[in-house]
Amino acid sequence: MEVTTLKNSDLAKDPVIGQMSLHNHEQILFCNDNATGLKAIIAIHNTVLGPSLGGTRMWNYANEMEALHDVLRLSRGMTYKSSVAGLNLGGGKAVIIGDAKKIKNEALLRRFGKFVDSLGGKYITAEDVAMTSRDMEIIKMETDYVSGLPENMGGSGDPSPVTAYGVYVSMKASAKETWGSDSLSAKKVLVQGIGHVGEVLVDHLTKEGAKVYINDISQERLKAVSDKYKAEVVAADKMFDLDIDIYAPCALGATVNDDTLSKLKCKIICGAANNQLADEKVHGALVAKKGILYAPDFVVNAGGIINVFYELEGYNRERALSHAEKIYDTTFNLFQLAKQENILTYQAANKLGEQRIEAIARINAVL
Ligand code: NAD
């Protein structure tokens, strides 16, 4: 994808379209409504493959530039995620500026829904940080371009089982690359974060005979999951000292950092959390140097977007799961590409995403 090289001085002069041109974003809609207090930005990165889809995040940003920067970064990430997952979706994202606990209400959400509708389907929204499926129901009153609705509204419901299945098959592909067999039997796996995705992953791993360690900040979750699956609880200050085969971050981002990498003893990192590498360039390289295979997060956790995509098609969980199964091949293929081209695994994932978009853009130009 075309990338221009603007200098910081150019960005100071042209902070909006200048920033869009850095990664070739197509369109931004700035939304303001004094009556409801709505201040939002909808960013559309790329629609070559289809309408842009990505969640709406509500966050108390320190200033508008921080919000703009976030929505541009997140929308671009969605382009790559959907492309690599083989979906006919482009990348988009929205941010609503403000404290959800203080200003989120029906009127604000419906006003936001009208702005989404004004784009005529070029952007489809969904849940993200501080937004719930109930909020999606409210937005739906004003626009049809909403996904991630509850099952009782014809939606796809909780995407976590599909996401967890994608993580599981991606882990198997990583095992095949590392040990020549995709069996996870007897492998020692640390699952950090045993929420919606983490618990279902523990279920898959236990059924396959892996030795599972779990960590979470919720004592309640730890008790429930260790009782149910006989997984071993490990304290936060001990978990990175464990002698394990696979680390599965399923809680927060940026857990692969200088501190954890100085201790981590594993062969594979593969989990559901977004933005696992604290600094993509630095820690992507450091992981490889330590002989750890990193399965890129946005490839591994694509089950969530796959689930939402099938909601747009008339939801069927079997189809969503069967598409998520392809994450096995995608993961394995990107490892081969990384080896062939002597690049890092996250770079190979980006390359796969770009190649598909460029190929489809070419056939669109011919037709
Ligand atoms: P969740 O909120 O249900 O679970 C997260 C779990 O992590 C909770 O049990 C929480 O107590 C625990 N946690 C929080 N901070 C922690 C810490 N510092 N140390 C250990 N545990 C901690 O979330 P989820 O839906 O299971 O998603 C997990 C991760 O995967 C998130 O980063 C999410 O963005 C990402 N993800 C989820 C989906 C999905 O379909 N749910 C899709 C793509 C990506």
Side-chain angles (χ1 to χ4, degrees), residues 81 158-160 163 192-198 215-218 221 250-252 272-274 301 304:
K81 182 180 276 210
D158 179 11
S160 307
T163 304
Q192 180 191 23
I194 39 164
H196 289 91
V197 178
N215 169 264
D216 202 289
I217 48 168
S218 159
R221 296 293 306 145
C250 296
L252 307 166
N274 285 308
N301 68 20

Side-chain angles (χ1 to χ4, degrees), residues 69-135:
H69 184 73
D70 207 28
V71 78
L72 290 175
R73 177 181 69 87
L74 294 166
S75 56
R76 177 168 170 254
M78 291 308 298
T79 298
Y80 282 82
K81 182 180 276 210
S82 287
S83 174
V84 177
L87 299 171
N88 287 329
L89 288 176
K93 200 89 182 178
V95 294
I96 299 178
I97 302 172
D99 185 341
K101 288 200 185 86
K102 291 190 184 141
I103 66 162
K104 191 169 74 175
N105 58 36
E106 182 191 345
L108 179 139
L109 290 170
R110 289 182 70 163
R111 189 69 189 93
F112 175 70
K114 284 186 185 292
F115 279 113
V116 172
D117 202 60
S118 74
L119 288 164
K122 209 171 168 191
Y123 168 68
I124 301 167
T125 197
E127 276 177 54
D128 199 81
V129 175
M131 300 292 277
T132 64
S133 56
R134 173 68 194 135
D135 296 333

Side-chain angles (χ1 to χ4, degrees), residues 24-37:
N24 211 10
H25 279 77
E26 286 180 16
Q27 189 178 354
I28 301 184
L29 182 67
F30 290 96
C31 318
N32 177 66
D33 182 58
N34 288 354
T36 57

Side-chain angles (χ1 to χ4, degrees), residues 168 172 175 179 181-189 204-211 245-246:
Y168 167 65
K172 285 178 79 63
W179 297 294
S181 156
D182 69 11
S183 170
L184 297 171
S185 174
K187 294 286 183 253
K188 290 175 273 181
V189 187
H204 287 300
L205 293 171
T206 309
K207 285 184 178 137
E208 192 160 332
K211 161 78 186 148
D245 297 302
I246 302 168

